[in-house]
Amino acid sequence: MPATTLEYMLERSEKRLVGVNATVAAKAIELIKLAYRNGINIAVTQGLRTFAEQNALYEQGRTSQGKSSPMQEEVSRSITMD
């Protein structure tokens, strides 16, 4: 697997942090940098989520058939967090 650069992780995360509380966003960036220095690659994959988006995600699989995704493997390996 090719090495992931810090710049890539930050760019990816900053796009998703638009609209998030400024203090929380700054701490997320700080965490990404600290983790990277310790050999751990993390990125923000979801920033601000509206109530409608959250409700739709919550209902998925309860009222409609959900789709599996590559993310499920990452969740099962405990490399994602909320």
Side-chain angles (χ1 to χ4, degrees), residues 27-55:
K27 291 296 183 181
I29 295 300
E30 189 178 321
L31 176 61
I32 292 165
K33 291 176 180 178
L34 177 63
Y36 189 85
R37 286 193 301 267
N38 287 281
I40 302 168
N41 294 338
I42 62 171
V44 174
T45 58
Q46 177 75 49
L48 183 64
R49 186 181 291 161
T50 66
F51 284 113
E53 291 169 322
Q54 180 61 35
N55 286 337

Side-chain angles (χ1 to χ4, degrees), residues 46 49-67:
Q46 177 75 49
R49 186 181 291 161
T50 66
F51 284 113
E53 291 169 322
Q54 180 61 35
N55 286 337
L57 287 171
Y58 180 78
E59 290 299 320
Q60 185 179 3
R62 289 166 182 77
T63 59
S64 63
Q65 182 67 31
K67 296 180 183 178

